[in-house]
Amino acid sequence: MSSEHTVVIGAGMAGLLTAAVIGAIGRPVIVLEQDQHGGGPVPRGGVPQGRQPHVLLHRGLRVIEELLPGLRAQLVAAGGVPLDTGDLAWLGERGWAPFGTPAFELVSATRPLVEHLVRRRVAELPGVELRGNARVRGLSRTTTGPGGGWLVECFDAPPVRAGLVVDASGRSSRLPDWLARWGIEEPATTVVDAGFGYAGQMYAAPSDHLGRVAGIVMLPVPGGAPAGGVALPVEGGRWLVAAVGAGDHRPPRDQAGFDAFLARLRDPALADFTRSARALGDITVHRRTHNVRRRYDRVPHWPGGLLAVGDALCAFNPVYGQGITVAATQALLLRQTLTAGARPGWERRLMRRLHRAADLPWAIATGEDLRHTGDNPASGVDALFGRWSGEVDRLAAHGNLRAQRAMDRVYHLVGSPAGLLHPALLTAAVRGRLLGLPAPSPRPPLATGSAWPDRADAEKVPGNPPPPP
């Protein structure tokens, strides 16, 4: 096999989007995945959080559409639910966000459906091979062939030769160990763990079950009982509901405990929703939520023909919904590099750009998690900016739409934190401190329909696909 092949280790979203970029420029790609894919939108063993709600941030939706044109339409056709973030009932630390004004588009769907559609598009690209049941044991250098290359060593399978290897194997990446075997310094690694845990369950309810409200988001608040949750519509006339908490306040797996957890939240919105909808299947939990960053950009003598992307490079607490968006942004940076013409040393330069793409989401995720752990941020500047972000959040909770949109742009990774320093926000904050703020934003009009006691009731909803059995 020619050393001009690319081997991508891992078939999650980071690996698939990387393969999409490389395959689109006509270079042969082999994607090695540990799981054997069943052919449909089913949760993968390698993605333990796959059964929990996922929010594809607005920037992620835009970038994936750029990489795979038409994917948004395919997602909606498969049952994904378009919604506007301005129509979410969003309860932040300081109160309800302004409701009912246009903001950013999302398409809400389960992680398995999103991955299935992306996987199908990538598999259709000429020269792309998705190879299942391929567990990678290690990497070794080879001097055979033009310019040398790599041997990707697998368990129970012959090694695969490659000119370029991309590690997209996620949080469990073994790349630091492989680097050490070659005498290359392991990367400095930072871990921030607030001890979050998730419990999620599927429910059957019509898409308009909450009336004008598109979904519910209740953020955990640092101090006291850090607990929250979400309810989002997904394909098939279903809703995904998740409870989230940190430390001793992590939600349990049993139904009675899950219901009691929702009932203890600072607003009854989620508990009211689950009482008026019909539970489907078991509760699933996920507790591997730490943030981890491997600074490969600082490793001296970075080897040619090697990249790391996605969670293998920088993994985030999933509560912030950033992972897929960052992976898509990194794939776009790879495409820009390859189409511009790769010059010697391009891998090291690209690794620096990939790390910079993770800077803002890393600051958001770890900044919030450090507040839950009670640890101080890395610098006084970070602490000062964190306090100012809280002031902007307070303005938003009191109806300031400029403040809310500035926060939205940062959260959805479509704007810079510098937008939070707009003079109008500074003026509003000073005025609020001197004269007082307007009344808090009212609670959104959360109206839940009646319960669905059986499948027949679900099928009576006009235009709403029945939930699966």
Side-chain angles (χ1 to χ4, degrees):
M1 185 176 293
S2 169
S3 63
E4 291 306 308
H5 279 74
T6 295
V7 170
V8 177
I9 303 172
M13 288 294 291
L16 291 173
L17 294 174
T18 298
V21 165
I22 298 174
I25 64 173
R27 182 168 182 166
V29 186
I30 297 173
V31 181
L32 302 178
E33 53 182 325
Q34 180 171 311
D35 304 311
Q36 180 62 51
H37 195 268
V42 295
R44 294 188 299 113
V47 186
Q49 74 275 25
R51 297 179 187 272
Q52 305 298 329
H54 281 73
V55 176
L56 182 58
L57 300 182
H58 181 71
R59 176 167 173 77
L61 181 64
R62 272 187 2 198
V63 173
I64 292 177
E65 180 69 16
E66 182 175 349
L67 297 174
L68 297 169
L71 187 78
R72 179 201 172 278
Q74 290 179 314
L75 187 57
V76 173
V81 181
L83 58 87
D84 192 292
T85 59
D87 294 329
L88 292 173
W90 186 287
L91 182 58
E93 181 176 351
R94 294 163 181 85
W96 292 101
F99 172 80
T101 57
F104 293 103
E105 184 200 30
L106 301 178
V107 178
S108 182
T110 61
R111 169 73 176 257
L113 177 61
V114 175
E115 278 199 3
H116 170 67
L117 295 177
V118 171
R119 176 190 176 89
R120 190 171 67 185
R121 288 286 300 274
V122 172
E124 292 170 351
L125 293 171
V128 175
E129 177 188 351
L130 304 179
R131 188 177 297 181
N133 286 333
R135 296 187 301 123
V136 175
R137 185 177 60 187
L139 297 178
S140 60
R141 301 284 292 186
T142 176
T143 57
T144 60
W150 297 93
L151 284 178
V152 182
E153 301 163 358
C154 301
F155 292 97
D156 304 320
V160 184
R161 189 181 302 278
L164 173 66
V165 173
V166 183
D167 179 18
S169 57
R171 292 174 179 268
S172 302
S173 169
R174 299 292 307 279
L175 185 56
D177 296 334
W178 299 337
L179 288 173
R181 293 175 193 170
W182 311 324
I184 297 175
E185 179 181 329
E186 291 190 37
T189 301
T190 302
V191 177
V192 177
D193 188 0
F196 273 100
Y198 305 81
Q201 187 168 31
M202 195 76 74
Y203 286 81
S207 58
D208 61 352
H209 195 56
L210 295 176
R212 293 169 50 207
V213 175
I216 302 169
V217 179
M218 297 173 60
L219 299 183
V221 175
V230 299
L232 294 171
V234 295
E235 69 274 9
R238 299 172 297 164
W239 289 67
L240 258 176
V241 176
V244 57
D248 295 335
H249 300 281
R250 292 182 296 191
R253 186 191 300 267
D254 64 286
Q255 188 69 60
F258 183 78
D259 293 341
F261 184 96
L262 296 180
R264 290 193 300 269
L265 296 178
R266 54 198 174 111
D267 187 277
L270 288 171
D272 289 345
F273 177 89
T274 57
R275 279 193 293 265
S276 64
R278 179 167 60 90
L280 301 170
D282 298 327
I283 295 170
T284 60
V285 299
H286 177 62
R287 294 187 172 180
R288 196 178 183 194
T289 62
H290 59 284
N291 306 274
V292 57
R293 191 174 194 184
R294 303 178 177 99
R295 298 307 306 248
Y296 291 121
D297 57 324
R298 299 174 180 173
V299 172
H301 313 298
W302 182 258
L306 181 65
L307 298 172
V309 298
D311 284 0
L313 186 71
C314 186
F316 311 93
N317 183 343
V319 73
Y320 307 110
Q322 300 166 317
I324 295 177
T325 295
V326 173
T329 302
Q330 291 173 340
L332 188 61
L333 290 172
L334 173 61
R335 186 176 76 172
Q336 292 170 356
T337 297
L338 295 179
T339 54
R343 300 185 302 275
W346 68 271
E347 301 94 337
R348 183 183 179 92
R349 291 189 293 273
L350 178 58
M351 289 296 293
R352 292 171 181 161
R353 297 183 68 195
L354 299 180
H355 270 284
R356 286 197 294 272
D359 283 344
L360 175 57
W362 175 261
I364 294 172
T366 58
E368 285 300 307
D369 279 7
L370 286 171
R371 295 180 65 221
H372 287 281
T373 63
D375 295 329
N376 293 321
S379 71
V381 173
D382 291 338
L384 183 61
F385 191 80
R387 287 196 293 272
W388 173 245
S389 298
E391 191 67 28
V392 176
D393 188 31
R394 188 187 309 279
L395 292 174
H398 285 262
N400 188 312
L401 276 179
R402 182 187 292 275
Q404 183 60 46
R405 294 299 168 258
M407 299 287 290
D408 288 344
R409 284 191 289 273
V410 175
Y411 183 80
H412 286 274
L413 305 180
V414 297
S416 165
L420 300 179
L421 301 174
H422 193 282
L425 296 179
L426 296 170
T427 301
V430 172
R431 183 184 298 115
R433 291 293 180 180
L434 294 176
L435 304 176
L437 292 170
S441 299
R443 188 176 190 263
L446 285 157
T448 54
S450 59
W452 287 10
D454 54 40
R455 182 178 177 85
D457 286 345
E459 294 172 347
K460 293 177 183 177
V461 179
N464 191 71

